[in-house]
Structures are given as structure tokens and as C-alpha cells.
Amino acid sequence: MSAILDPTRKLVGQPIKRREDPRLIAGAGAYLDDIKLTGMVHAALVRSTSAHGRIKSIDAGTARGMPGVLAVFTGEDFADLNPLPGAWTAGGVQNNVNTPRVLAIGEVHQVGDPVAVVIAENAYQAADAVEAVAVEYEDLGVVVDAKKATEDGAPQLHENAPNNVVLKWSCGKEAAEVDTALAAAEVRVQQHLVNQRLIPTSIEPRGSIGRYDPGTGDYTLWTTSQAPHVMRLLITAFVMGIPENKLRVISPDVGGGFGCKIFCYYDMALMLALSKKLDGRPVKFFEDRSENYLTTTHGRDHITDVEIGATKDGRITALKVDTHANLGAYFSTIAAGIPTTLYGRMVAGCYKIPNIRVDVTAVYTNTAMVDAYRGAGRPEAAFVIERVCDLVAGATGVDPAEVRRRNFIQPEDFPYDTGIGMLPYDSGNYEPALDRALEIVGYAGLRAEQAARRERDDRKLLGIGLSSYVEVCGVAPSKWIGLPGEGWGAGLWESANVKVHLTGKVVVTTGTLPHGQGHETSFAQLVADELGVPYEDIEIKHSDTLGTPFGFGTYGSRSAAVGGTAIYKSVAKVREKAKKLAAHMLEAAEADIVWEHGRAYVKGSPDAAKTIQDIALQAAVAYDLPGEMEPYLDETTYYDPPNCTFPFGTHVCVVEVDRETGEIALQRYVAVDDVGNVINPMIVDGQVHGGIAQGLAQALYEGAVYNDQGELVTGTMNDYAIPKASMVPTYELERTVTPSPTNPMGVKGAGEAGTIASTPAVANAVIDALAHLGVNHLDMPITPEKVWRAIGGGAS
Amino acid sequence: MFPNRFEYRRPGSLAEAVQILAENPDAKLLAGGHSLLPAMKLRLAAPSTLVDLSQIEGLRGIAANGALTIGALATYNQVHDSAAVRQAAPMLADTCGIVGDPQVRVRGTLGGSLAHADPAADLTAVVLALGGEVTVVGSGGERTIAADDLFVDLLTTSLAPEEIITEIRIPDLAGAKMAYEKHEHPASGYAVVGVAAVLAMGDGGTIRSARLAVTGATAKATRLSSAEAVLAGKTVRTETIAAAAAAAADGLEINGDLYASADYRRHLVGVLTRRALERATG
């Protein structure tokens, strides 16, 4: 502790334990369902059992008479609320937008669509009454597959989206040009790739509490959101049509999100409107796990065909990618941006590929909406390009590591433009990360061991999978990502305010917010170093639109690179003002003032220093300020970055595959990541651990499945396999450091890298184990039965 | 995740519990609750009354006297940690250490597992292979049901509605070789296929008799009688084990699901039979 109190010790780069954890681990946190307000009542939803139907009747007569029931409302009762907004339409193309209403009116488009809401004195009574509401549907036909949905004769979900097409988008060269390059290639490979649908599964599900104050006309919303300021904007200006300043949005402690809590959901405006109907009684809705799986957004769900051209020595000359992206029943808040800007424009990965063409067709189906899920587009892109590398290796006989090495963008190429519409990659040095990963894992030895096992016809085969990834974080600037460019409906800057109070204590308010990332620790480390105040004297405040400056929220690994830079710049402004005041206090010229660890002194006289605390007091009491200087050390920054950041690295996975049963055992997992400069290495390691677990789970375990009736077959954790600690290996982590030139801290972002890299690393490893048996691809999740069948099991 | 309304009763004696069951035909017994309560929260089960057995004395003890007697409310952890069980039937102790997850093993009970008769439970096959029997108490008094007669169908036992399992008995298996092999479902942790093998050994390394049981593959824990027939009277040899494994799935009505087809389960029955026999005799 004393080390942390010492302002001369540099904290950035230190693995300080998270200050949030004692509170959260001891159960002293306050998550949404912990909040109990005076007079609060409970909402439960009647949900559609039909995946696509016309509502013929809703009979709530019995429910209304049940114990504790205060009211039952249906969609028509909220006809004055607009459909939820679509905030990110794909840039440059027509978007056939159909967003959901708070409760369905007329038609339902997925199992779980909310059709009525029951309000009762307690949650049990509400749940009982939901069962008593009878709804009849006329079946309109169901389609759950993105390709089948576009076929003639498929059931049509929305009038303005013929063949269920949300949008068609492309990037890269003209198709004919890439076809020519493909035709000229020495080696050609084609592959069908399915990136299956995933369910984000944050530990805490979602919910909202709405409260209307009949006296002031003000609303307050507590909600499990990664972006409270954006929710306030969307709910007021787009859904409810009330002034933005009449709503306060608070994200309490949020138990994980992985993206699914970025979006504007039905329950938010619904709870506010219900509280008004109930004369201000607060109304709580908190989904259960079954509802979470059914109706909170899902991720991925791409069907892709790739055509690859390469030279005989493994250089990729042409790549054509055609993807159908399943967006589910409606257009979720930022759904269109994921398979376009964040997927299509990242398909080149870390390779120089002269001819690329990506076509994306986004599609409505009778399934849960699909939107950003940890990695959001980049995992899908990394899966394509990293499978492509191994397919090229298989077709040319060049080692998979060598294929990557031969195609890497070189250090001198940065900033590098891939030619498919992404901003130039800011910095990178891909080969050292690959080399180090291969060295740690003992690549040559493993290849020899693999060959020996094959030679001996061992039951347990060895597989080695590589994934060299690059991703994009801190997406900005606003003028690029925004409406005229990539289609995002607003900016993507961040803001921060830093106040040094009279007593020398520091309060930082930020528009970003944690849902598990440790902002309070990392940001305090940063401020302690830059301002020279003790770490313990710094409070990081967030998550409440009352009292924090506007921010776009936490996703896309943007908090440090964008929000952190806003803090950094505010601290710099405070420091500059403090230096001016110190010069006045020391009766010296500002140019002669030296700033060191929170102390200002005249060059050559370090003993006669003024501390930041002395200066803050002087600034606040304001008896004696120089010239026009305003009182108080209080500075705000709105920071719009000039570019995105592009973390990268190489992951290597080693698996044993049992030829007899197809069972897969994860033997080793080596990750060498480069996320730029690191503020807290323990937090970054934790992010990488969790990310790898989620990504390897896609490769081996997870997959959301609907039946032909549009029912979610994997509707509980008994069927949908999120990874347990016993199912993941020990991670061997290292880092290289290539600072980002985009921001003054040189940070890139680390929240999603693990998820992006690990899925192809693990899939490639399993496929590699079977390569000598003629297997060059397996669809995920790669279950033991799929392996068993791929090597001849079950063949009659 | 809110169950339907139910009455909660906590009888102090078996007689009282039996009476509550007799008076409430759709009442359910609450032991560890780790199968029942999730089903209630999903509203897949809606008993009118829960009869909590936790206050009834004498249902937790574990005693060994050649044969092994285990109280129905002994938790998986208690069975796993019992030196007596480890000595008499190590496969039972080991399996209780891999059921579910740590939370399940702290609360879940051996009696509860057998009475629930989940088609993919581990302990049903293990107790069946061990030739166990259960003592049950009902309105007609006490009776004994052999594991062979206990499992009737999917989630269905031969217990009468008002009968309660009070103890599980495992016969004296001194010198027997035994092992349980399982392919675990990645989500639920239940057995996709599990095979329990118990070999009673005669002189000179011959197998006097074999009891093998499968779970996960079929609607209920089921004896692998074809494999047993192959093994009986033979000496332990690689060829014998292979022949038993090849015969193991004969005559079984094997189910399939999203995770594993019937074909794949059939294959696993053979593989896991071989592995169980190899480990038991290794």
C-alpha cells in the first residue's frame, strides 16, 4: 500500500489489484436486481410462443383478476411510443430498417417477442399472471436460416424488406477484377465457412427499473447498460418523444455484457411509460435466464463462401468473400455496422493481399436479433482469414506458420492501407509476436512429435493451430465512422472531467463505464502518474448521466484508448493550470517551473516546491490568483481520436484428438499479444484469459440452434455449453509492445483480442490434427462426433 | 425463474413424510433439490407440496459390514469422502466425486439421484452395476427393491407415490474389479454415455460374473447383458474385453439428441465399455 501512496512511483504498468473487487466479491455491489425502491412494482412479460404469427387475440381477463395484479397492458396501449431506433445503418447502401416496438402490435417475428406486460405487487404474482394470459396466433410461416430466408417463396418478415434482405454491402475491388486474379492464380481453394450463432451469456441478465416523478415530470431509468448516455438520447429523442433533459439514466453495477448490453431494448422505455401510467410507482423488469437466451441479442451467425488464389509458395494473391449475415427478427441498435465496417473491412487480417472483394448480405429471420458480441465483426473476419491461411498451407504444402510469415504486412509498411476501406492500420510488427509464440510453444518439436504419432498410428493425434490476428479498437474518428461515412448515427468521441478539490482529493468523471473491466483501477493509475497525487486520493466516477459528461459507452475495447485519452488530456490541462499558478505562488516565470511527481518548483530549487495539493487549495480559496485565472482546478476534454488502434498478435493452440472417440483435449495455449502500452498488466491478462475462454468455446462448445418452428433448442445452460474452468487450459501469455501512435498514451485496447484470436487458433488445431486423414475443414462447434464422422466414424 | 406456488412441509419423521405424500398425490420429496428446483423454476415441474426430508433423523449414515449401507440423504461429497465406501466400492466413491459440479456435490444426495432416475445420471448405472438395492418406506411398511427392478423408464421408478428411499445397500464385493467411464456433456455435465463395470473374480484370474450398466444412451440405466454374457467365466484378456465391448450395445434402444446422435452414442457404448473393463482390470 505504501508503495502505491508514494507519488514518485510510476503506477502505469503495475499489476495493481483491482480496487473494485473487494466490494464486488464480498457481495457489497448493487446490481439492478439488488435495487429496491419504495412502492416498486414488478413487470413480467407475456412472450410469443409463435416465431412468426399474426396476433388474433389476447385474453388477459383471468390474469387481471389474479392476486396482486395491478394491470395488464398490450402493444396498443403503447402505440404512442415509436419503434426502437436503428442507430447504425450500414454506410453507403440502402438499409431496410425494421426495429421492434416495446410490445408487439399486430405481428410477432420471433419466439419470445413481448406481446403483453403484467404489473403486479411482486415478481411471483406477475409470473403467475403471465401464464394466465391467453394469446392466439395465426401462423405466418417460419424461416431461421439466413440463406433460405433470401430464397423466393420464403416467409417474408417485413413489408419493406423483399426476400428478407436488410442490406447488401460490399468492399474492396470490383468482383471482375478479383475474378481475373483468381483465374490467374497458381493455386485455387474454395471453402464454405459457417460462423455459428452464439449467445453472449453475461453472468447478470438484463433489466430495467423506470420511475416517473409526477411532480417534476422527470424520469429516472436504472438499466443494465454499457452506454447510459446513448440510451438517454435514444429513449427520449427517438422512442418516447420527450426532452432529453427530462431523463436520467443510471447503470448500476453491471455484471458483464460482452456487447449485448450496448443496445436499446424494449424494457427501457416500457418501464418509464409504465411508471407514468402507474402515477409514479417505480416498475422493475428483470429478465430470467430463459428470457435472456431467447430475446437478448445473439452474436455472429455468418454463412460465408471464400475463394482463394495463391502462389505455389503460399502467397495469397486474391480473396473473394461472400457472406450472409443473419440479423434475426429485427434490426438491432447497431446491427448493420457489425458485418460491414467491423467485419468486411477487416477481412485482410494482418496480410498484404492485392485483390480482395467482400460481399455481405444481411438478412432477417425468425430468430433473436444479432448484434455486437465481444469482438463484433472482427472474430468473424479473423476466422475467415485465419482459416484461409491454413487452407493455403494445406493446398501448397507450405507450413502454416510460414504462410503467415510470407504474407505479413511489414513494419515499414505502417500506417498501412489494406485497400478495403478500413482506416490505415496505425502500427504493427507482426513477425516478432509470431516468432515468440512459436518459440514458447516449441513449434519445431511439436511438428516432429505430430509426425511421429502419425507414423506410429497413435490413438491420440496432435494438432497445432495458429492464429495471427489484427483487430480494430477505439473506433473513430467521428467524421469517418459517422453517418456520411460508415453510417454510425453519431460521433464516437469520449469526454472526461478532472477536478482537484480544495483538499487535494481528485474526482474524475468519465463517459465510459465498467461492466467488469476495472476502469476505477486503471484510470486511477493513469491519473496518479500524470498528476502526481496518491492513487488512494483519486475517485473515478461513471455510469450516471447526472454527474458525468456525455460518453458513447464501453464497447469495442475503446475505454482506455478513447475515454482514457480524454482523462489524460484533462489531467494535462489541470497540470498546465497548476504550473501557471505555481509560478505565481513562487514568484517565478512559468518557463522556469519544473513539474515533478505532483510538485512544482523553480529550476534549481526543488526544496521550495509547491505540491499539487497546495496549488489546489490556492486555486479554490482564490484569494490570490494571477491575472484572469478562474478559480479551481477543473478541466474537461472532449476527445475525438484521429484514427482507430489496431492490436495484434499470434496465438498457438495445441490439442490432442482421440481418433477413437473424436474427443479433443486442449494441451497448450500460448498467446503473444500486442495491445500497445499496458496500464495494468493484471487486468489485461484477465481480459485475455476471459477472451480466450469465450473464443475457444465457440470453436469447441457453444452454438445456438433453432428448430424449424423457430424455437431455440439451446434455450438453457443445460444445452448451451458455456465453458467451465475445467474445460479450458492453462494460458501461457506474453506480450510484445508496439505503442499506438494514435493516442499520447500509446494504448490500443485489450478487451476483445482473446476472443478474436482464439476461435481460429483452436479450430485450426483440431483440423490440423486430422489433416493427414484428408480433413481440411470442420464446422464449429467442433464436437467429438463431428471429428469422429470426419475421419470415417459411422460410415456404413 | 419463479416456480409456481407450492406448500412447503418439513416433517420430523418418516411416518409423517409418508402421510403427507399419501394425502398429496402430486407432492414431491425435497432432498438435495438440484434436479427438482431447476425444473420448478422453469415451471416444468409444479408440485403442490414440497416435503423437505432434511429434519428426519437417521437418513445420512454410512456403515460397512462387508456389505455397505448408505443413508438416502448422504450427499455425493459424503459418499465420495467416506473411507468405508472407498474400501468397499471405490467406483461409487470416485463417481460421487465427478457428479455435476461442486455445488451439486455439496447438496445432491445418492437417494435423490436414484429416485429421480434421470436417463443420463451417473449414479443410476453405478448402483445398478454394483448390484445395489434400496430400502423404501411407504404406507404399506418397508420393502426392498433391487436396482434391477428400480428403474422403469425415463424419469420413472417402481417406487409407489408415497414411498421414500431410506437407504441404499451395496452387497459385499470383496475382490471385485470395477470402473466407471463417462463421456460428459459439455453443458450439463451429465453422461452422454456412461458405462459402469463390476467384475466378480474367481480363481486364476477368471471372471466369475460381470455386471455392466449403461446410462445416457438409453431411457433408463440399463444392464449390458450381452457384454456380461461374453465376460462370464472368461479370463481377463484383451480379446475378451474387445469381444465384450463389441457386444455391449446389442439390443439397446439408443437415443440421440442435438449433441450426439444415436450412432455416435452406440459407438461410445462400445468404446467406454472397453475402457471401463481395461481400467477395472488394469
Side-chain angles (χ1 to χ4, degrees):
Chain A
M1 254 343 195
S2 56
I4 293 176
L5 276 166
D6 175 3
T8 66
R9 183 184 180 225
K10 195 167 159 53
L11 298 189
V12 167
Q14 299 297 320
I16 295 170
K17 285 187 182 174
R18 302 191 339 155
R19 54 164 60 172
E20 297 89 338
D21 286 342
R23 182 173 67 85
L24 297 176
I25 291 168
Y31 295 91
L32 189 100
D33 208 27
D34 295 322
I35 298 172
K36 293 173 175 62
L37 303 174
T38 305
M40 188 170 78
V41 296
H42 295 263
L45 290 162
V46 178
R47 295 183 177 280
S48 173
T49 53
S50 162
H52 192 196
R54 185 168 293 112
I55 301 169
K56 286 162 65 180
S57 64
I58 301 175
D59 180 0
T62 307
R64 287 195 172 93
M66 288 175 67
V69 173
L70 300 171
V72 180
F73 298 104
T74 63
E76 279 81 6
D77 296 312
F78 302 98
D80 57 329
L81 300 182
N82 294 314
L84 305 182
W88 190 358
T89 47
V93 298
Q94 180 180 325
N95 289 246
N96 299 325
V97 176
N98 291 278
T99 59
R101 307 188 72 94
V102 295
L103 295 177
I105 297 178
E107 285 185 11
V108 292
H109 298 98
Q110 68 159 112
V111 171
D113 255 349
V115 297
V117 60
V118 173
I119 312 298
E121 293 288 351
N122 71 48
Y124 291 86
Q125 293 163 337
D128 286 345
V130 160
E131 289 202 330
V133 177
V135 186
E136 286 187 309
Y137 303 94
E138 176 193 337
D139 181 26
L140 297 175
V142 173
V143 62
V144 300
D145 177 273
K147 275 209 151 164
K148 288 182 186 157
T150 62
E151 290 169 4
D152 288 337
Q156 298 294 296
L157 273 74
H158 303 288
E159 263 178 32
N160 75 345
N163 293 95
N164 299 309
V165 172
V166 184
L167 60 92
K168 283 178 177 284
W169 179 96
S170 63
C171 68
K173 290 188 173 171
E174 290 301 321
E177 203 175 336
V178 177
D179 285 340
T180 304
L182 285 168
E186 293 171 359
V187 178
R188 292 190 66 175
V189 187
Q190 298 191 354
Q191 185 61 51
H192 183 71
L193 300 169
V194 175
N195 198 300
Q196 82 274 27
R197 176 180 285 246
L198 302 177
I199 305 177
T201 316
S202 51
I203 291 178
E204 182 203 30
R206 279 191 334 92
S208 297
I209 301 169
R211 185 176 68 188
Y212 174 71
D213 183 335
T216 62
D218 290 346
Y219 293 87
T220 306
L221 177 70
W222 290 259
T223 187
T224 51
S225 177
Q226 298 174 226
H229 286 278
V230 176
M231 290 310 105
R232 176 168 74 158
L233 169 70
L234 297 181
I235 292 163
T236 55
F238 293 86
V239 184
M240 298 182 75
I242 59 173
E244 188 180 356
N245 54 14
K246 299 304 277 184
L247 173 62
R248 172 183 177 191
V249 178
I250 302 167
S251 288
D253 285 325
V254 176
F258 310 121
C260 78
K261 292 176 180 170
I262 301 170
F263 317 120
C264 188
Y265 286 96
Y266 53 89
D267 47 291
M268 298 169 174
L270 183 60
M271 293 308 112
L272 297 171
L274 283 168
S275 181
K276 187 173 188 189
K277 281 187 192 292
L278 295 165
D279 300 322
R281 289 189 75 174
V283 187
K284 178 193 276 188
F285 167 77
F286 193 67
E287 65 181 12
D288 66 26
R289 183 63 65 185
S290 301
E291 293 177 293
N292 176 265
Y293 269 27
L294 269 183
T295 62
T296 285
T297 54
H298 293 175
R300 320 280 189 255
D301 207 345
H302 285 193
I303 302 170
T304 295
D305 287 284
V306 292
E307 293 180 63
I308 311 153
T311 62
K312 283 181 199 159
D313 63 352
R315 289 174 209 278
I316 303 168
T317 54
L319 178 62
K320 201 171 171 192
V321 179
D322 183 60
T323 295
H324 277 60
N326 191 340
L327 296 194
Y330 307 94
F331 188 107
S332 175
T333 313
I334 63 169
I338 311 307
T340 55
T341 302
L342 294 179
Y343 163 74
R345 299 204 191 286
M346 287 306 291
V347 155
C350 35
Y351 309 107
K352 289 170 109 161
I353 303 172
N355 299 286
I356 303 182
R357 165 79 179 187
V358 182
D359 285 284
V360 175
T361 306
V363 181
Y364 291 120
T365 64
N366 299 112
T367 60
M369 290 185 284
V370 175
D371 206 325
Y373 166 52
R374 199 171 191 176
R378 295 99 84 203
E380 297 92 313
F383 182 69
V384 167
I385 191 64
E386 291 308 301
R387 285 271 51 239
V388 163
C389 285
D390 272 25
L391 289 164
V392 168
T396 58
V398 178
D399 183 273
E402 195 54 31
V403 168
R404 288 168 172 82
R405 195 186 305 281
R406 287 180 189 174
N407 287 283
F408 272 155
I409 300 160
Q410 296 302 308
E412 61 274 17
D413 296 330
F414 293 92
Y416 180 79
D417 184 347
T418 55
I420 52 174
M422 180 47 70
L423 293 181
Y425 292 180
D426 58 343
S427 63
N429 192 4
Y430 300 151
E431 209 163 344
L434 171 67
D435 287 340
R436 184 66 188 130
L438 296 178
E439 185 184 334
I440 295 168
V441 83
Y443 189 65
L446 287 170
R447 285 288 175 209
E449 167 73 13
Q450 179 183 52
R453 290 194 192 198
R454 288 174 178 176
E455 185 70 24
R456 291 193 303 261
D457 212 16
D458 279 4
R459 198 182 95 201
K460 292 196 174 174
L461 298 168
L462 199 66
I464 308 139
L466 275 71
S467 169
S468 294
Y469 72 97
V470 61
E471 63 134 334
V472 54
C473 297
V475 169
S478 301
K479 68 181 176 192
W480 173 69
I481 192 70
L483 205 49
E486 295 298 300
W488 177 276
L492 267 180
W493 42 265
E494 278 301 327
S495 66
N497 173 269
V498 175
K499 286 185 177 68
V500 186
H501 287 289
L502 182 145
T503 55
K505 307 299 179 190
V506 179
V507 175
V508 177
T509 51
T510 165
T512 68
L513 64 158
H515 47 283
Q517 293 86 350
H519 288 55
E520 293 174 20
T521 302
S522 298
F523 285 165
Q525 287 176 254
L526 163 66
V527 174
D529 277 9
E530 294 301 318
L531 202 54
V533 296
Y535 172 83
E536 286 78 3
D537 285 357
I538 302 159
E539 285 287 323
I540 308 295
K541 295 295 184 189
H542 49 77
S543 303
D544 186 342
T545 59
L546 179 66
T548 64
F550 193 97
F552 286 89
T554 291
Y555 40 85
S557 304
R558 64 192 299 279
S559 283
V562 190
T565 302
I567 294 173
Y568 180 94
K569 286 178 169 282
S570 293
V571 170
K573 289 178 187 174
V574 167
R575 211 171 43 222
E576 286 312 302
K577 182 170 177 179
K579 271 177 78 175
K580 279 194 175 66
L581 183 49
H584 179 73
M585 293 163 78
L586 293 163
E587 297 178 349
E590 194 190 336
D592 294 332
I593 297 294
V594 176
W595 183 272
E596 195 177 69
H597 307 311
R599 298 164 74 250
Y601 57 86
V602 180
K603 210 176 296 174
S605 309
D607 293 341
K610 297 293 180 190
T611 66
I612 179 71
Q613 291 85 359
D614 297 335
I615 301 165
L617 175 63
Q618 181 93 348
V621 297
Y623 309 144
D624 182 16
L625 298 180
E628 299 293 307
M629 183 178 281
E630 293 178 7
Y632 234 78
L633 298 179
D634 179 341
E635 299 290 346
T636 298
T637 303
Y638 286 78
Y639 172 66
D640 198 350
N643 192 1
C644 313
T645 61
F646 296 85
F648 60 90
T650 291
H651 290 203
V652 185
C653 177
V654 182
V655 298
E656 260 186 0
V657 178
D658 186 326
R659 280 196 299 145
E660 193 173 44
T661 58
E663 289 167 309
I664 298 154
L666 294 160
Q667 298 287 306
R668 301 271 304 279
Y669 197 99
V670 173
V672 179
D673 294 296
D674 193 320
V675 297
N677 288 330
V678 169
I679 298 171
N680 184 319
M682 189 193 307
I683 287 177
V684 170
D685 285 353
Q687 286 279 22
V688 174
H689 280 204
I692 295 170
Q694 255 170 326
L696 72 83
Q698 172 168 26
L700 300 182
Y701 309 126
E702 297 188 31
V705 176
Y706 285 89
N707 65 18
D708 290 343
Q709 287 78 51
E711 294 160 333
L712 182 62
V713 179
T714 53
T716 75
M717 287 185 184
N718 239 2
D719 307 295
Y720 185 84
I722 60 167
K724 303 164 196 164
S726 60
M727 291 154 68
V728 301
T730 299
Y731 306 119
E732 301 166 61
L733 307 187
E734 276 199 23
R735 274 186 281 278
T736 61
V737 178
T738 308
S740 171
T742 304
N743 59 67
M745 295 185 293
V747 300
K748 288 197 166 185
E752 296 156 294
T755 321
I756 292 162
S758 60
T759 303
V762 176
N764 283 344
V766 179
I767 296 164
D768 178 68
L770 309 173
H772 65 303
L773 302 173
V775 176
N776 54 23
H777 183 71
L778 289 169
D779 280 334
M780 304 181 293
I782 305 177
T783 61
E785 179 168 359
K786 283 183 189 168
V787 171
W788 176 70
R789 288 192 183 280
I791 58 178
S796 48
Chain B
M1 296 286 169
F2 297 106
N4 294 81
R5 195 173 185 82
F6 60 89
E7 292 293 319
Y8 173 78
R9 305 283 294 275
R10 194 167 59 186
S13 70
L14 274 172
E16 193 187 341
V18 168
Q19 191 185 340
I20 296 169
L21 287 178
E23 288 165 359
N24 300 276
D26 62 348
K28 279 278 185 189
L29 297 176
L30 178 65
H34 273 52
S35 295
L36 178 60
L37 297 184
M40 289 172 65
K41 287 182 172 185
L42 289 166
R43 299 199 168 199
L44 298 173
S48 65
T49 307
L50 276 193
V51 186
D52 182 347
L53 298 175
S54 64
Q55 297 305 302
I56 300 174
E57 297 286 333
L59 296 180
R60 293 173 199 280
I62 298 175
N65 179 16
L68 193 58
T69 305
I70 301 169
L73 288 191
T75 64
Y76 297 122
N77 268 357
Q78 286 167 340
V79 177
H80 176 254
D81 293 344
S82 161
V85 176
R86 183 153 300 283
Q87 169 73 28
M91 174 175 75
L92 179 57
D94 289 344
T95 306
C96 284
I98 60 153
V99 173
D101 53 35
Q103 289 92 331
V104 167
R105 295 195 286 270
V106 166
R107 296 287 306 178
T109 66
L110 184 54
S113 177
L114 300 183
H116 184 55
D118 190 290
D122 298 302
L123 273 311
T124 51
V126 166
V127 171
L128 184 56
L130 289 168
E133 57 186 30
V134 296
T135 303
V136 306
V137 170
S139 45
E142 191 176 284
R143 66 174 177 133
T144 299
I145 306 173
D148 280 314
D149 302 322
L150 181 63
F151 308 116
V152 175
D153 204 344
L154 190 80
L155 302 170
T156 308
T157 65
S158 55
L159 289 166
E162 83 291 355
E163 281 183 323
I164 301 168
I165 298 177
T166 57
E167 64 184 28
I168 297 95
R169 275 199 308 280
I170 308 294
D172 187 345
L173 295 165
K177 297 178 182 299
M178 59 183 74
Y180 176 66
E181 284 282 337
K182 171 188 187 182
H183 181 104
E184 183 177 309
H185 190 284
S188 70
Y190 277 93
V192 174
V193 175
V195 174
V198 178
L199 304 179
M201 303 305 292
D203 296 332
T206 58
I207 300 165
R208 197 169 70 236
S209 65
R211 284 182 68 96
L212 276 69
V214 67
T215 185
T218 47
K220 57 170 182 140
T222 303
R223 294 271 297 276
L224 299 176
S225 42
S226 299
E228 291 174 356
V230 169
L231 293 165
K234 306 274 172 47
T235 52
V236 176
R237 296 168 54 140
T238 307
E239 300 77 36
T240 316
I241 288 174
D250 287 355
L252 296 181
E253 207 168 300
I254 293 180
N255 52 49
D257 62 15
L258 181 66
Y259 175 77
S261 68
D263 281 350
Y264 182 62
R265 278 190 163 86
R266 182 172 296 278
H267 172 70
L268 286 181
V269 171
V271 172
L272 297 180
T273 296
R274 197 199 73 228
R275 291 184 186 178
L277 290 169
E278 284 172 352
R279 193 150 63 80
T281 59

